[in-house]
Amino acid sequence: MGYYCAWGDAKIMSSSEEEEGYENLVSDIGEKRKGRALDIHGEAPSAPALPISDDTDRQFWAEDELSNSESRQRLITRRKRRHSVSYRNRAANKSQSRVPRPSNSSSDSTRAEISPKSPSICSVLCYITLGLCSMLLILTLWSSNIHVPKIRTYVLHFDEEQPLLHVVSDKFLSFGLDTSLLRRMKELPVGQKKFINLASYLSPAYVRVGGTSADCLIFIQDQMEQNSSEKILSPVDGQDISNFTISGTDLLNIYDFAVKSGLRMIFDLNVLIRNPDGSWNDTNARKIIAFAKNQDMMLDWQLGNEPNSFRHVFNVTISATELAKDYDHLRQLLNEAGYMNSILVGPEVNHVGDLNQMGEQYAKTFLSTQKDTVNYVTWHQYYLNGRVAKIDDFVNPFTFNWLPTQINSMRQFIAESGKNVSMWLSETSTAFGGGAPGLSDRFVAGFLWLDKLGYSAKAGLNVVTRQSLFGGDYAMVSTNLMPNPDWWISVFYKQFVSEKVLKLITPNNFGYVRLYAHCTAKKALIARVPAVTIYGMNMGKTFAHVDIPELFTQPSKIMKIFYYALTADALQSSEIKLNDESEPLRLQPNGDLPPFRPVILDPMNPVFLPPYSMVFMIIHGVEVPVCLT
């Protein structure tokens, strides 16, 4: 069923700037009906009027007609006495004091059914009627105030003749496997068919094998058993930062996983192996590069992880200038080994957006020093501290609005470096420190993830690499190889959203309702009919009415909206539902995706977003020239 307004008297109100940061138009759906109780239940039939008669004297007149022996004068006297006020009141009181007795005679039944009428009974009936009317009026006013839902309208605009805002990578939505997982290769399910299948639904994508442990990795091609030094815990997050080894077989197993899943692998090399003079010792890197080339591995590369934080994690300092030299040297090694076409990304900084601008300053110096060796500027982004994050943080617009601040700050420093290089979020999730337990892998985390994809594409970032596909509290796939909600959201994104980014004009897209526009992915087109995808979320507690006049109000025989709303029974649910179906989304027994059945809406009807929902709307039949090429 579609999410149409089911309330005849529902008000649609514009959102206030204080509550949701929006300034929108106010519209009404239907007119507010007067007398809501009568509208809902039907007009109550009026009670039949009681017959007007002088029942008080009925028996007495019958007695007069039977009393033929009485004189005319006596009859007249008795009639006068019965018509007097005092006599009538006594008769009425006497009649009311009678208690009906059960009787089989018809005459007794008749007398029991006839209740004498007097002025006092009429008064009581009047008071009762007046009381009922007053009560009905009060209930009507009360129900009209209580039951009218407040639905806010969000008016957006779309120019069908617009140019493309950006074109991002076809691997825009990518993900990582943290290098720490390689410490226990036997526990990493890269060889399991189910895991390969889950990853393949997210292709094309990069799979980045990197992280803090990348600067602890030693490659020993022919080793039989993994070795590691005595465990050393990081003072920052407590993870193991001791050196460990992987073999050639281990590297092949990871690469095979990537190939079978349709992914492009990025490998993060160890930059902390240093010579006595402080320069980078490239021996370990040379071994990995040579082995990879001999095995015909098609790889992309990076060097080191969060170098601006080395002093806090490893008690080692490598300056941005020194790292730039190391990158120049690595580019030379790759070219000599036959990896001229492989991309090299860096410098993998964190702490972007901090007051001291630590990450941006490091990246600026790095870019201005290196010899145009990096293809993309990479940095890491998290909203929250996983150890202290609360559920409210995951639906608070202030949390979401941290990302635009970080992107704008990094863009400014890139410009100041004098280099024109696009950005990647090469490691990102909701909360650092492995994620927030019970939150970062639940339905509520999907809002931050989907908004990050939408805003990053709109801002022109080329790739967003989700941390992580597997491992930690922010994993998209659980340890029992069941997909978490963010995996499903990512699948929907891959199905319906292309790399062609469009502009959706909004008064303010930083509140509880956030929407983005792209050309529709080719695989989602029906009979090559052009389409546009609008996607986003409603984090509010009530329905939101979305109006895009250029798209939603055009009468057309072919224009239809395929509507997909993702919801859950609870914000911390590990399951996700489509269009309020009774059962959550699940893979089919053979591992295939279930059918994604849309609600098909007429663009002439209002479109609503359910509370706490993420939505994908494919508007078929919209011809946007830049989407046709």
Side-chain angles (χ1 to χ4, degrees):
M1 63 178 179
Y3 291 99
Y4 301 108
C5 186
W7 307 280
D9 56 350
K11 285 184 178 179
I12 295 184
M13 301 182 64
S14 66
S15 63
S16 66
E17 219 175 21
E18 297 179 21
E19 182 176 353
E20 297 191 6
Y22 269 76
E23 299 175 358
N24 296 300
L25 300 179
V26 178
S27 60
D28 291 324
I29 291 185
E31 296 180 353
K32 182 177 181 181
R33 299 173 183 168
K34 297 182 180 179
R36 179 172 174 78
L38 299 181
D39 281 338
I40 295 175
H41 303 294
E43 186 172 348
S46 57
L50 294 174
I52 301 175
S53 63
D54 194 0
D55 290 336
T56 305
D57 291 336
R58 182 174 180 181
Q59 294 180 7
F60 296 112
W61 285 112
E63 181 183 344
D64 287 339
E65 292 170 2
L66 295 174
S67 303
N68 294 326
S69 62
E70 296 179 303
S71 64
R72 181 178 181 80
Q73 183 64 35
R74 187 177 177 184
L75 180 59
I76 294 173
T77 301
R78 291 181 63 184
R79 285 178 177 176
K80 288 181 179 180
R81 181 170 61 87
R82 284 195 293 266
H83 281 284
S84 69
V85 174
S86 61
Y87 187 91
R88 290 174 63 89
N89 287 339
R90 286 197 304 272
N93 291 335
K94 184 177 180 181
S95 176
Q96 290 176 9
S97 65
R98 292 196 194 104
V99 178
R101 295 174 184 158
S103 172
N104 293 328
S105 67
S106 60
S107 61
D108 289 341
S109 299
T110 302
R111 281 195 296 271
E113 291 173 3
I114 300 174
S115 57
K117 185 176 181 180
S118 69
S120 62
I121 294 178
C122 292
S123 298
V124 171
L125 290 176
C126 288
Y127 284 131
I128 292 174
T129 303
L130 180 61
L132 289 175
C133 291
S134 300
M135 185 177 294
L136 181 60
L137 178 61
I138 292 171
L139 288 174
T140 301
L141 294 175
W142 178 77
S143 64
S144 64
N145 289 330
I146 295 299
H147 297 296
V148 176
K150 309 298 184 184
I151 302 178
R152 292 174 176 81
T153 292
Y154 299 85
V155 180
L156 306 93
H157 295 280
F158 182 85
D159 180 6
E160 295 183 26
E161 301 299 323
Q162 65 176 284
L164 286 175
L165 186 61
H166 298 289
V167 178
V168 299
S169 170
D170 63 341
K171 303 176 185 65
F172 175 75
L173 192 165
S174 293
F175 49 86
L177 284 175
D178 198 276
T179 308
S180 62
L181 296 170
L182 276 57
R183 292 178 178 272
R184 297 172 296 278
M185 280 298 301
K186 292 180 180 179
E187 300 176 13
L188 188 59
V190 289
Q192 295 189 34
K193 183 178 179 180
K194 185 174 183 180
F195 189 57
I196 295 170
N197 187 53
L198 289 170
S200 67
Y201 287 122
L202 302 180
S203 68
Y206 291 106
V207 53
R208 176 212 181 217
V209 181
T212 301
S213 289
D215 291 306
C216 308
L217 185 149
I218 308 296
F219 181 73
I220 302 178
Q221 178 176 331
D222 298 322
Q223 76 167 3
M224 301 301 295
E225 294 289 335
Q226 272 193 293
N227 297 314
S228 61
S229 305
E230 182 180 350
K231 181 175 289 190
I232 302 173
L233 300 182
S234 166
V236 176
D237 55 14
Q239 67 172 299
D240 189 356
I241 56 172
S242 61
N243 288 336
F244 72 102
T245 62
I246 66 168
S247 67
T249 301
D250 296 332
L251 189 56
L252 274 173
N253 288 339
I254 300 167
Y255 180 75
D256 286 344
F257 159 76
V259 171
K260 291 176 181 178
S261 303
L263 308 172
R264 175 84 176 192
M265 181 171 156
I266 300 178
F267 195 82
D268 191 1
L269 296 167
N270 188 342
V271 76
L272 285 183
I273 304 176
R274 313 299 290 184
N275 294 315
D277 62 358
S279 63
W280 179 45
N281 186 324
D282 65 5
T283 306
N284 191 60
R286 285 179 179 271
K287 291 179 180 179
I288 294 174
I289 293 170
F291 178 82
K293 190 61 181 177
N294 288 335
Q295 298 296 325
D296 294 325
M297 295 184 186
M298 298 178 65
L299 298 174
D300 295 315
W301 307 88
Q302 58 186 198
L303 179 62
N305 182 78
E306 299 176 353
N308 55 309
S309 295
F310 279 166
R311 185 171 64 85
H312 303 287
V313 180
F314 297 103
N315 197 27
V316 174
T317 299
I318 297 178
S319 69
T321 301
E322 189 65 32
L323 185 69
K325 294 178 183 178
D326 299 339
Y327 262 81
D328 290 340
H329 183 53
L330 175 58
R331 180 75 268 178
Q332 183 180 352
L333 292 179
L334 293 172
N335 292 345
E336 291 173 354
Y339 281 112
M340 290 84 67
N341 296 324
S342 292
I343 64 172
L344 179 60
V345 299
E348 298 293 310
V349 295
N350 63 350
H351 288 288
V352 173
D354 288 4
L355 290 176
N356 60 8
Q357 298 176 321
M358 172 183 175
E360 298 97 315
Q361 289 284 4
Y362 196 100
K364 174 184 174 181
T365 303
F366 170 83
L367 287 173
S368 61
T369 306
Q370 55 90 36
K371 301 176 181 178
D372 297 326
T373 55
V374 294
N375 301 91
Y376 297 97
V377 179
T378 54
W379 54 283
H380 300 178
Q381 189 274 341
Y382 294 88
Y383 299 98
L384 304 164
N385 182 340
R387 292 183 290 273
V388 298
K390 306 297 182 185
I391 189 170
D392 291 345
D393 299 328
F394 285 72
V395 287
N396 187 336
F398 290 103
T399 303
F400 289 69
N401 296 339
W402 178 232
L403 176 63
T405 300
Q406 293 172 296
I407 290 175
N408 291 334
S409 181
M410 178 58 87
R411 179 179 284 121
Q412 176 186 341
F413 277 82
I414 292 174
E416 291 176 2
S417 75
K419 303 295 175 66
N420 183 20
V421 188
S422 297
M423 285 186 279
W424 279 18
L425 289 184
S426 55
E427 181 184 310
T428 186
S429 191
T430 54
F432 61 82
L439 293 170
S440 292
D441 59 354
R442 305 302 169 88
F443 174 80
V444 70
F447 296 110
L448 284 168
W449 176 227
L450 186 59
D451 185 69
K452 181 177 295 182
L453 292 171
Y455 187 84
S456 296
K458 181 180 177 181
L461 275 68
N462 191 258
V463 168
V464 174
T465 308
R466 167 61 184 264
Q467 184 80 352
S468 166
L469 176 65
F470 182 82
D473 290 309
Y474 41 37
M476 292 195 289
V477 176
S478 67
T479 54
N480 60 358
L481 301 187
M482 295 297 292
N484 288 325
D486 277 4
W487 182 88
W488 287 105
I489 294 167
S490 300
V491 169
F492 272 84
Y493 189 95
K494 290 285 187 178
Q495 291 281 321
F496 300 128
V497 181
S498 78
E499 63 272 18
K500 296 180 178 180
V501 187
L502 301 172
K503 186 176 183 179
L504 193 59
I505 303 171
T506 64
N508 190 333
N509 208 38
F510 299 104
Y512 288 89
V513 172
R514 296 162 178 251
L515 294 170
Y516 303 95
H518 286 232
C519 299
T520 300
K522 290 182 179 180
K523 67 176 76 173
L525 297 179
I526 300 175
R528 298 184 179 180
V529 174
V532 169
T533 298
I534 307 294
Y535 67 96
M537 67 208 62
N538 173 21
M539 296 183 292
K541 298 178 181 179
T542 59
F543 279 82
H545 172 227
V546 174
D547 183 20
I548 308 177
E550 298 81 4
L551 298 178
F552 290 172
T553 58
Q554 298 184 18
S556 172
K557 293 182 180 179
I558 64 171
M559 186 180 292
K560 294 294 180 184
I561 301 173
F562 279 34
Y563 182 98
Y564 305 84
L566 299 173
T567 58
D569 292 335
L571 289 178
Q572 288 183 262
S573 174
S574 58
E575 297 180 321
I576 193 168
K577 292 184 175 181
L578 173 61
N579 290 332
D580 203 29
E581 293 179 357
S582 58
E583 293 296 320
L585 290 170
R586 290 191 178 92
L587 292 173
Q588 298 188 62
N590 63 355
D592 288 350
L593 291 173
F596 296 153
R597 297 185 178 90
V599 173
I600 301 177
L601 306 178
D602 189 315
M604 294 298 292
N605 292 326
V607 176
F608 294 90
L609 312 186
Y612 295 119
S613 66
M614 287 161 271
V615 297
F616 291 83
M617 295 176 282
I618 293 80
I619 300 94
H620 294 278
V622 177
E623 291 195 12
V624 179
V626 293
C627 293
L628 302 178
T629 58

